[in-house]
Amino acid sequence: MTRESRGIQSIEVGGELLRALARSGEPMMLRDLAREAGMPPAKAHPYLVSFSRIGLIEQDETTGRYEIGALALELGLISLRRQSAVRIATPRIAALADSINHAVSLSVWGTHGATVVRLEEPSHPVHIAMRVGSVVALLETATGRAFAAFMPPNAVKTALESGLDRLGVGYNPKRETITAKTTEMLAEVQSRGLARAIGDPLPGVNAFAAPVFDHAGHVALVITAMGPEGTFDAGWDSAIAAALRDCASDISRQLGHGTVRGVDIAMK
């Protein structure tokens, strides 16, 4: 039997105040913070004084409300930076591939553009051109479009004009890069939160791709589900589309996107 290490009870008690403040996500008055932490205000106050001195919390001089301090924000940012999007996403795409019974890939933005770093195969064989290490075209594939729609426009423009993805799967050397049609296509991806490819550029293969965002709102990676046209429902309201959206949203939340703490840290 493993012996439990000895701790400092007062720190653990005070930690309830920090947890209560984190749960709230908003500045709190002493009485409310103490109540949420399950202690009288007179007991909570000395903890708050000490936490303020070391920067874990701070008090607004005008309102008297307590909020997360500079040290806590710094620690949170360090934690977020240490989170590996690929590490977090890998077991989730495996579960997604099992649930939809289609191939699922993870791609990151690499030296030559959108690059596949993980691929989960379904139980049935699927003949696709993508493998781990493959680069995919920016405008011609669902994966590439998901990156192009949510990356900074200047970065996308530079990548297209330089032919960064010229070695990518599906790349069309005759394509026109910045056109009204391109802008309309990427606007639809932004609106739906998904990119879609139906039998093109891979004949007989449909695909959906969804972006995953980090705490600062940047695209950390793209998840792509793909499968044969005959069994892969490419409808925008299909079960596959919904499962992919849910998976990408869950990983984004794990990376701090869309949470009060994540927004606060990004703004600091």
Side-chain angles (χ1 to χ4, degrees), residues 126-128 198-206 227-232:
V126 178
H127 299 291
I128 54 177
I198 302 179
D200 183 33
L202 303 178
V205 176
N206 292 344
E229 286 181 309
T231 58
F232 189 102

Side-chain angles (χ1 to χ4, degrees), residues 142 194-197 206-210 223-225 232-236 238 240-241 244:
L194 284 179
R196 180 175 68 174
N206 292 344
F208 279 121
I223 305 174
T224 304
F232 189 102
D233 185 350
W236 289 114
S238 68
I240 295 174
L244 179 59

Side-chain angles (χ1 to χ4, degrees), residues 127-139:
H127 299 291
I128 54 177
M130 282 192 293
R131 292 291 181 266
V132 172
S134 294
V135 173
V136 299
L138 193 53
L139 295 182

Side-chain angles (χ1 to χ4, degrees), residues 4-54:
E4 186 176 353
S5 299
R6 180 182 177 185
I8 301 176
Q9 186 177 11
S10 61
I11 293 179
E12 295 172 9
V13 172
E16 293 301 319
L17 292 163
L18 298 177
R19 291 192 183 94
L21 194 56
R23 287 195 301 270
S24 169
E26 299 288 343
M28 300 178 70
M29 296 297 293
L30 171 60
R31 63 177 181 276
D32 299 323
L33 185 51
R35 182 184 66 251
E36 290 299 316
M39 65 181 73
K43 181 178 180 180
H45 185 260
Y47 287 104
L48 297 177
V49 170
S50 294
F51 289 153
S52 296
R53 287 174 179 169
I54 62 175

Side-chain angles (χ1 to χ4, degrees), residues 6-7 21 43 62 64-65 72 82 85 99 123 138 156 170 187 194 197 203 209 222 236-237 240 249:
R6 180 182 177 185
L21 194 56
K43 181 178 180 180
T62 303
R65 295 178 182 272
R82 288 175 60 88
S99 68
S123 59
L138 193 53
V156 175
L194 284 179
V222 166
W236 289 114
D237 297 324
I240 295 174
S249 295

